[in-house]
Amino acid sequence: MSAQIDLYTAATPNGHKASVVLEELGLEYNTHRINLMEGEQKRPDFLAMNPNGRIPVIIDREADDFAVFESGAIMIYLAEKTGKLLPQDPKGRSQVIQWLMFQMGGVGPMMGQANVFFRYFPEKLQPAIDRYQNETHRLLSVLNHHLEQHEFLAGDFSIADIANWCWARTSSWSGVEIDDLSHLQRWIDQLQARPACAKGVEVPPRADAETVVTSGKSMIIK
């Protein structure tokens, strides 16, 4: 049986959101590694799939080669396709999507900017570093407070957990310590222990040191 999904991705938190969902859903998929430093995401063939020139993108071969871009949209599409990881009742569905949007509109952008100014901006602009690191810690503290009373973010394990986890697990790269956020750390470890989550964040496989791109800049992950 041939794979029903083609995944175009790179080793970034947003890319991992798609691969972790695919692994958790048990869907067969082919991985196409996009070299961000060579600008493959800006080439015409990629832009035909995603006009914004960003990974990840999936092509659903079972649905007449339907293309889906934006990591959150991919997660919702795959959850709806399979009927898993997203409740069908309106309130449960809304709770999951609320926490998904929390990541899309808050955690991801703030951590991305923290990475820019903390890791590789040519000048050390301490006010900017403080701004984005402090806001990242505040957002992670929101997760921590919620997780104090909940095992997962929205009822059962869902795409909301996957989306936030793919970013929160990388907090040290943003220069943000979470030793004071014990409930968040419990949850991060709990998801890391899931075989599909652990496998998904290794897609695509990367070398010991690989250059990736966040917010249009380059950084080295080791």
PDB file of all heavy atoms in Angstrom, residues 155-183:
ATOM      1  N   GLY A 155      -9.035  18.264  27.824  1.00  0.00           N
ATOM      2  CA  GLY A 155      -9.618  16.934  27.956  1.00  0.00           C
ATOM      3  C   GLY A 155      -8.586  15.861  27.671  1.00  0.00           C
ATOM      4  O   GLY A 155      -7.527  15.813  28.298  1.00  0.00           O
ATOM      5  N   ASP A 156      -8.873  15.004  26.700  1.00  0.00           N
ATOM      6  CA  ASP A 156      -7.927  13.955  26.322  1.00  0.00           C
ATOM      7  C   ASP A 156      -6.783  14.528  25.490  1.00  0.00           C
ATOM      8  O   ASP A 156      -6.857  15.651  24.983  1.00  0.00           O
ATOM      9  CB  ASP A 156      -8.653  12.867  25.514  1.00  0.00           C
ATOM     10  CG  ASP A 156      -9.689  12.123  26.340  1.00  0.00           C
ATOM     11  OD1 ASP A 156      -9.521  12.026  27.571  1.00  0.00           O
ATOM     12  OD2 ASP A 156     -10.691  11.655  25.747  1.00  0.00           O
ATOM     13  N   PHE A 157      -5.737  13.747  25.343  1.00  0.00           N
ATOM     14  CA  PHE A 157      -4.603  14.101  24.487  1.00  0.00           C
ATOM     15  C   PHE A 157      -5.109  14.488  23.102  1.00  0.00           C
ATOM     16  O   PHE A 157      -5.944  13.797  22.511  1.00  0.00           O
ATOM     17  CB  PHE A 157      -3.666  12.908  24.391  1.00  0.00           C
ATOM     18  CG  PHE A 157      -2.511  13.092  23.451  1.00  0.00           C
ATOM     19  CD1 PHE A 157      -1.447  13.901  23.780  1.00  0.00           C
ATOM     20  CD2 PHE A 157      -2.495  12.434  22.223  1.00  0.00           C
ATOM     21  CE1 PHE A 157      -0.371  14.069  22.919  1.00  0.00           C
ATOM     22  CE2 PHE A 157      -1.429  12.582  21.359  1.00  0.00           C
ATOM     23  CZ  PHE A 157      -0.361  13.402  21.705  1.00  0.00           C
ATOM     24  N   SER A 158      -4.597  15.596  22.575  1.00  0.00           N
ATOM     25  CA  SER A 158      -5.136  16.138  21.326  1.00  0.00           C
ATOM     26  C   SER A 158      -4.064  16.888  20.541  1.00  0.00           C
ATOM     27  O   SER A 158      -2.916  17.010  20.979  1.00  0.00           O
ATOM     28  CB  SER A 158      -6.297  17.094  21.619  1.00  0.00           C
ATOM     29  OG  SER A 158      -5.799  18.297  22.220  1.00  0.00           O
ATOM     30  N   ILE A 159      -4.486  17.424  19.407  1.00  0.00           N
ATOM     31  CA  ILE A 159      -3.574  18.227  18.592  1.00  0.00           C
ATOM     32  C   ILE A 159      -3.114  19.477  19.334  1.00  0.00           C
ATOM     33  O   ILE A 159      -2.045  20.022  19.038  1.00  0.00           O
ATOM     34  CB  ILE A 159      -4.182  18.608  17.229  1.00  0.00           C
ATOM     35  CG1 ILE A 159      -5.499  19.373  17.388  1.00  0.00           C
ATOM     36  CG2 ILE A 159      -4.362  17.373  16.351  1.00  0.00           C
ATOM     37  CD1 ILE A 159      -6.075  19.895  16.074  1.00  0.00           C
ATOM     38  N   ALA A 160      -3.892  19.940  20.314  1.00  0.00           N
ATOM     39  CA  ALA A 160      -3.475  21.097  21.109  1.00  0.00           C
ATOM     40  C   ALA A 160      -2.217  20.773  21.902  1.00  0.00           C
ATOM     41  O   ALA A 160      -1.291  21.600  22.000  1.00  0.00           O
ATOM     42  CB  ALA A 160      -4.597  21.528  22.045  1.00  0.00           C
ATOM     43  N   ASP A 161      -2.167  19.581  22.481  1.00  0.00           N
ATOM     44  CA  ASP A 161      -0.973  19.171  23.221  1.00  0.00           C
ATOM     45  C   ASP A 161       0.229  19.070  22.291  1.00  0.00           C
ATOM     46  O   ASP A 161       1.327  19.543  22.625  1.00  0.00           O
ATOM     47  CB  ASP A 161      -1.221  17.810  23.886  1.00  0.00           C
ATOM     48  CG  ASP A 161      -2.283  17.884  24.960  1.00  0.00           C
ATOM     49  OD1 ASP A 161      -2.005  18.441  26.031  1.00  0.00           O
ATOM     50  OD2 ASP A 161      -3.399  17.404  24.704  1.00  0.00           O
ATOM     51  N   ILE A 162       0.028  18.461  21.138  1.00  0.00           N
ATOM     52  CA  ILE A 162       1.138  18.279  20.200  1.00  0.00           C
ATOM     53  C   ILE A 162       1.710  19.623  19.773  1.00  0.00           C
ATOM     54  O   ILE A 162       2.928  19.829  19.772  1.00  0.00           O
ATOM     55  CB  ILE A 162       0.681  17.464  18.976  1.00  0.00           C
ATOM     56  CG1 ILE A 162       0.298  16.042  19.401  1.00  0.00           C
ATOM     57  CG2 ILE A 162       1.776  17.446  17.899  1.00  0.00           C
ATOM     58  CD1 ILE A 162      -0.370  15.232  18.295  1.00  0.00           C
ATOM     59  N   ALA A 163       0.838  20.555  19.410  1.00  0.00           N
ATOM     60  CA  ALA A 163       1.293  21.857  18.909  1.00  0.00           C
ATOM     61  C   ALA A 163       2.119  22.596  19.954  1.00  0.00           C
ATOM     62  O   ALA A 163       3.210  23.111  19.666  1.00  0.00           O
ATOM     63  CB  ALA A 163       0.092  22.700  18.485  1.00  0.00           C
ATOM     64  N   ASN A 164       1.602  22.667  21.172  1.00  0.00           N
ATOM     65  CA  ASN A 164       2.314  23.398  22.219  1.00  0.00           C
ATOM     66  C   ASN A 164       3.575  22.667  22.659  1.00  0.00           C
ATOM     67  O   ASN A 164       4.597  23.304  22.939  1.00  0.00           O
ATOM     68  CB  ASN A 164       1.380  23.631  23.411  1.00  0.00           C
ATOM     69  CG  ASN A 164       0.387  24.750  23.165  1.00  0.00           C
ATOM     70  OD1 ASN A 164       0.704  25.915  23.332  1.00  0.00           O
ATOM     71  ND2 ASN A 164      -0.820  24.387  22.755  1.00  0.00           N
ATOM     72  N   TRP A 165       3.516  21.356  22.704  1.00  0.00           N
ATOM     73  CA  TRP A 165       4.682  20.571  23.112  1.00  0.00           C
ATOM     74  C   TRP A 165       5.852  20.728  22.150  1.00  0.00           C
ATOM     75  O   TRP A 165       7.005  20.865  22.583  1.00  0.00           O
ATOM     76  CB  TRP A 165       4.297  19.098  23.225  1.00  0.00           C
ATOM     77  CG  TRP A 165       5.429  18.183  23.545  1.00  0.00           C
ATOM     78  CD1 TRP A 165       6.066  18.043  24.749  1.00  0.00           C
ATOM     79  CD2 TRP A 165       6.073  17.258  22.655  1.00  0.00           C
ATOM     80  NE1 TRP A 165       7.068  17.084  24.671  1.00  0.00           N
ATOM     81  CE2 TRP A 165       7.087  16.589  23.385  1.00  0.00           C
ATOM     82  CE3 TRP A 165       5.877  16.921  21.318  1.00  0.00           C
ATOM     83  CZ2 TRP A 165       7.905  15.624  22.817  1.00  0.00           C
ATOM     84  CZ3 TRP A 165       6.685  15.952  20.749  1.00  0.00           C
ATOM     85  CH2 TRP A 165       7.688  15.306  21.493  1.00  0.00           C
ATOM     86  N   CYS A 166       5.572  20.724  20.858  1.00  0.00           N
ATOM     87  CA  CYS A 166       6.655  20.827  19.872  1.00  0.00           C
ATOM     88  C   CYS A 166       7.467  22.101  20.059  1.00  0.00           C
ATOM     89  O   CYS A 166       8.659  22.138  19.742  1.00  0.00           O
ATOM     90  CB  CYS A 166       6.087  20.741  18.455  1.00  0.00           C
ATOM     91  SG  CYS A 166       5.589  19.065  17.969  1.00  0.00           S
ATOM     92  N   TRP A 167       6.835  23.142  20.577  1.00  0.00           N
ATOM     93  CA  TRP A 167       7.557  24.372  20.871  1.00  0.00           C
ATOM     94  C   TRP A 167       8.103  24.404  22.300  1.00  0.00           C
ATOM     95  O   TRP A 167       9.270  24.724  22.529  1.00  0.00           O
ATOM     96  CB  TRP A 167       6.656  25.582  20.623  1.00  0.00           C
ATOM     97  CG  TRP A 167       6.616  25.969  19.181  1.00  0.00           C
ATOM     98  CD1 TRP A 167       5.713  25.565  18.236  1.00  0.00           C
ATOM     99  CD2 TRP A 167       7.535  26.827  18.509  1.00  0.00           C
ATOM    100  NE1 TRP A 167       6.010  26.113  17.021  1.00  0.00           N
ATOM    101  CE2 TRP A 167       7.133  26.896  17.155  1.00  0.00           C
ATOM    102  CE3 TRP A 167       8.670  27.538  18.906  1.00  0.00           C
ATOM    103  CZ2 TRP A 167       7.819  27.652  16.201  1.00  0.00           C
ATOM    104  CZ3 TRP A 167       9.358  28.299  17.961  1.00  0.00           C
ATOM    105  CH2 TRP A 167       8.928  28.344  16.627  1.00  0.00           C
ATOM    106  N   ALA A 168       7.274  24.060  23.283  1.00  0.00           N
ATOM    107  CA  ALA A 168       7.686  24.179  24.683  1.00  0.00           C
ATOM    108  C   ALA A 168       8.913  23.335  24.993  1.00  0.00           C
ATOM    109  O   ALA A 168       9.762  23.734  25.810  1.00  0.00           O
ATOM    110  CB  ALA A 168       6.527  23.783  25.595  1.00  0.00           C
ATOM    111  N   ARG A 169       9.039  22.197  24.343  1.00  0.00           N
ATOM    112  CA  ARG A 169      10.171  21.308  24.602  1.00  0.00           C
ATOM    113  C   ARG A 169      11.502  21.938  24.195  1.00  0.00           C
ATOM    114  O   ARG A 169      12.567  21.473  24.608  1.00  0.00           O
ATOM    115  CB  ARG A 169       9.987  19.969  23.866  1.00  0.00           C
ATOM    116  CG  ARG A 169       9.952  20.109  22.356  1.00  0.00           C
ATOM    117  CD  ARG A 169       9.612  18.790  21.659  1.00  0.00           C
ATOM    118  NE  ARG A 169      10.731  17.862  21.721  1.00  0.00           N
ATOM    119  CZ  ARG A 169      11.730  17.836  20.841  1.00  0.00           C
ATOM    120  NH1 ARG A 169      11.768  18.698  19.822  1.00  0.00           N
ATOM    121  NH2 ARG A 169      12.713  16.970  20.963  1.00  0.00           N
ATOM    122  N   THR A 170      11.474  22.998  23.392  1.00  0.00           N
ATOM    123  CA  THR A 170      12.689  23.658  22.908  1.00  0.00           C
ATOM    124  C   THR A 170      12.987  24.956  23.660  1.00  0.00           C
ATOM    125  O   THR A 170      13.764  25.776  23.190  1.00  0.00           O
ATOM    126  CB  THR A 170      12.579  23.967  21.401  1.00  0.00           C
ATOM    127  OG1 THR A 170      11.603  25.011  21.189  1.00  0.00           O
ATOM    128  CG2 THR A 170      12.171  22.738  20.609  1.00  0.00           C
ATOM    129  N   SER A 171      12.374  25.161  24.820  1.00  0.00           N
ATOM    130  CA  SER A 171      12.474  26.445  25.518  1.00  0.00           C
ATOM    131  C   SER A 171      13.922  26.858  25.801  1.00  0.00           C
ATOM    132  O   SER A 171      14.246  28.050  25.776  1.00  0.00           O
ATOM    133  CB  SER A 171      11.683  26.410  26.821  1.00  0.00           C
ATOM    134  OG  SER A 171      12.202  25.425  27.700  1.00  0.00           O
ATOM    135  N   SER A 172      14.789  25.896  26.077  1.00  0.00           N
ATOM    136  CA  SER A 172      16.179  26.254  26.385  1.00  0.00           C
ATOM    137  C   SER A 172      16.874  26.908  25.202  1.00  0.00           C
ATOM    138  O   SER A 172      17.780  27.723  25.374  1.00  0.00           O
ATOM    139  CB  SER A 172      16.960  25.016  26.834  1.00  0.00           C
ATOM    140  OG  SER A 172      17.009  24.047  25.806  1.00  0.00           O
ATOM    141  N   TRP A 173      16.449  26.553  23.978  1.00  0.00           N
ATOM    142  CA  TRP A 173      17.050  27.177  22.800  1.00  0.00           C
ATOM    143  C   TRP A 173      16.704  28.664  22.738  1.00  0.00           C
ATOM    144  O   TRP A 173      17.458  29.471  22.216  1.00  0.00           O
ATOM    145  CB  TRP A 173      16.587  26.467  21.526  1.00  0.00           C
ATOM    146  CG  TRP A 173      17.257  26.998  20.309  1.00  0.00           C
ATOM    147  CD1 TRP A 173      16.713  27.795  19.340  1.00  0.00           C
ATOM    148  CD2 TRP A 173      18.622  26.802  19.915  1.00  0.00           C
ATOM    149  NE1 TRP A 173      17.649  28.106  18.376  1.00  0.00           N
ATOM    150  CE2 TRP A 173      18.825  27.504  18.709  1.00  0.00           C
ATOM    151  CE3 TRP A 173      19.682  26.082  20.480  1.00  0.00           C
ATOM    152  CZ2 TRP A 173      20.057  27.512  18.055  1.00  0.00           C
ATOM    153  CZ3 TRP A 173      20.908  26.103  19.829  1.00  0.00           C
ATOM    154  CH2 TRP A 173      21.078  26.810  18.632  1.00  0.00           C
ATOM    155  N   SER A 174      15.568  29.017  23.316  1.00  0.00           N
ATOM    156  CA  SER A 174      15.169  30.428  23.382  1.00  0.00           C
ATOM    157  C   SER A 174      15.786  31.124  24.584  1.00  0.00           C
ATOM    158  O   SER A 174      15.533  32.315  24.792  1.00  0.00           O
ATOM    159  CB  SER A 174      13.636  30.533  23.468  1.00  0.00           C
ATOM    160  OG  SER A 174      13.017  29.892  22.383  1.00  0.00           O
ATOM    161  N   GLY A 175      16.567  30.397  25.373  1.00  0.00           N
ATOM    162  CA  GLY A 175      17.181  30.979  26.563  1.00  0.00           C
ATOM    163  C   GLY A 175      16.204  31.130  27.706  1.00  0.00           C
ATOM    164  O   GLY A 175      16.407  31.955  28.603  1.00  0.00           O
ATOM    165  N   VAL A 176      15.143  30.320  27.700  1.00  0.00           N
ATOM    166  CA  VAL A 176      14.100  30.414  28.722  1.00  0.00           C
ATOM    167  C   VAL A 176      14.141  29.157  29.582  1.00  0.00           C
ATOM    168  O   VAL A 176      13.939  28.051  29.076  1.00  0.00           O
ATOM    169  CB  VAL A 176      12.709  30.567  28.079  1.00  0.00           C
ATOM    170  CG1 VAL A 176      11.618  30.572  29.138  1.00  0.00           C
ATOM    171  CG2 VAL A 176      12.652  31.838  27.240  1.00  0.00           C
ATOM    172  N   GLU A 177      14.402  29.337  30.864  1.00  0.00           N
ATOM    173  CA  GLU A 177      14.445  28.215  31.792  1.00  0.00           C
ATOM    174  C   GLU A 177      13.047  27.935  32.328  1.00  0.00           C
ATOM    175  O   GLU A 177      12.265  28.861  32.579  1.00  0.00           O
ATOM    176  CB  GLU A 177      15.394  28.514  32.947  1.00  0.00           C
ATOM    177  CG  GLU A 177      16.838  28.734  32.524  1.00  0.00           C
ATOM    178  CD  GLU A 177      17.432  27.527  31.805  1.00  0.00           C
ATOM    179  OE1 GLU A 177      17.045  26.387  32.162  1.00  0.00           O
ATOM    180  OE2 GLU A 177      18.261  27.720  30.901  1.00  0.00           O
ATOM    181  N   ILE A 178      12.739  26.659  32.499  1.00  0.00           N
ATOM    182  CA  ILE A 178      11.408  26.276  32.987  1.00  0.00           C
ATOM    183  C   ILE A 178      11.504  25.420  34.248  1.00  0.00           C
ATOM    184  O   ILE A 178      10.562  24.691  34.580  1.00  0.00           O
ATOM    185  CB  ILE A 178      10.617  25.547  31.886  1.00  0.00           C
ATOM    186  CG1 ILE A 178      11.342  24.271  31.430  1.00  0.00           C
ATOM    187  CG2 ILE A 178      10.345  26.470  30.707  1.00  0.00           C
ATOM    188  CD1 ILE A 178      10.505  23.396  30.509  1.00  0.00           C
ATOM    189  N   ASP A 179      12.616  25.521  34.976  1.00  0.00           N
ATOM    190  CA  ASP A 179      12.777  24.743  36.201  1.00  0.00           C
ATOM    191  C   ASP A 179      11.683  25.069  37.213  1.00  0.00           C
ATOM    192  O   ASP A 179      11.344  24.223  38.059  1.00  0.00           O
ATOM    193  CB  ASP A 179      14.143  25.003  36.825  1.00  0.00           C
ATOM    194  CG  ASP A 179      15.286  24.455  35.972  1.00  0.00           C
ATOM    195  OD1 ASP A 179      15.010  23.628  35.086  1.00  0.00           O
ATOM    196  OD2 ASP A 179      16.443  24.859  36.199  1.00  0.00           O
ATOM    197  N   ASP A 180      11.144  26.278  37.149  1.00  0.00           N
ATOM    198  CA  ASP A 180      10.103  26.697  38.089  1.00  0.00           C
ATOM    199  C   ASP A 180       8.709  26.285  37.639  1.00  0.00           C
ATOM    200  O   ASP A 180       7.731  26.551  38.343  1.00  0.00           O
ATOM    201  CB  ASP A 180      10.153  28.217  38.283  1.00  0.00           C
ATOM    202  CG  ASP A 180       9.953  28.980  36.975  1.00  0.00           C
ATOM    203  OD1 ASP A 180      10.407  28.488  35.922  1.00  0.00           O
ATOM    204  OD2 ASP A 180       9.342  30.066  37.007  1.00  0.00           O
ATOM    205  N   LEU A 181       8.615  25.638  36.493  1.00  0.00           N
ATOM    206  CA  LEU A 181       7.312  25.261  35.928  1.00  0.00           C
ATOM    207  C   LEU A 181       7.187  23.737  35.956  1.00  0.00           C
ATOM    208  O   LEU A 181       7.301  23.059  34.944  1.00  0.00           O
ATOM    209  CB  LEU A 181       7.179  25.808  34.507  1.00  0.00           C
ATOM    210  CG  LEU A 181       7.391  27.324  34.348  1.00  0.00           C
ATOM    211  CD1 LEU A 181       7.251  27.727  32.881  1.00  0.00           C
ATOM    212  CD2 LEU A 181       6.429  28.109  35.228  1.00  0.00           C
ATOM    213  N   SER A 182       6.952  23.200  37.147  1.00  0.00           N
ATOM    214  CA  SER A 182       7.000  21.751  37.328  1.00  0.00           C
ATOM    215  C   SER A 182       5.887  21.018  36.593  1.00  0.00           C
ATOM    216  O   SER A 182       6.084  19.894  36.118  1.00  0.00           O
ATOM    217  CB  SER A 182       6.943  21.418  38.822  1.00  0.00           C
ATOM    218  OG  SER A 182       5.739  21.901  39.408  1.00  0.00           O
ATOM    219  N   HIS A 183       4.713  21.618  36.500  1.00  0.00           N
ATOM    220  CA  HIS A 183       3.593  20.949  35.832  1.00  0.00           C
ATOM    221  C   HIS A 183       3.815  20.920  34.317  1.00  0.00           C
ATOM    222  O   HIS A 183       3.506  19.929  33.656  1.00  0.00           O
ATOM    223  CB  HIS A 183       2.284  21.646  36.173  1.00  0.00           C
ATOM    224  CG  HIS A 183       2.069  21.799  37.646  1.00  0.00           C
ATOM    225  ND1 HIS A 183       1.870  20.722  38.488  1.00  0.00           N
ATOM    226  CD2 HIS A 183       2.073  22.915  38.441  1.00  0.00           C
ATOM    227  CE1 HIS A 183       1.736  21.160  39.730  1.00  0.00           C
ATOM    228  NE2 HIS A 183       1.868  22.482  39.736  1.00  0.00           N
TER     229      HIS A 183
END
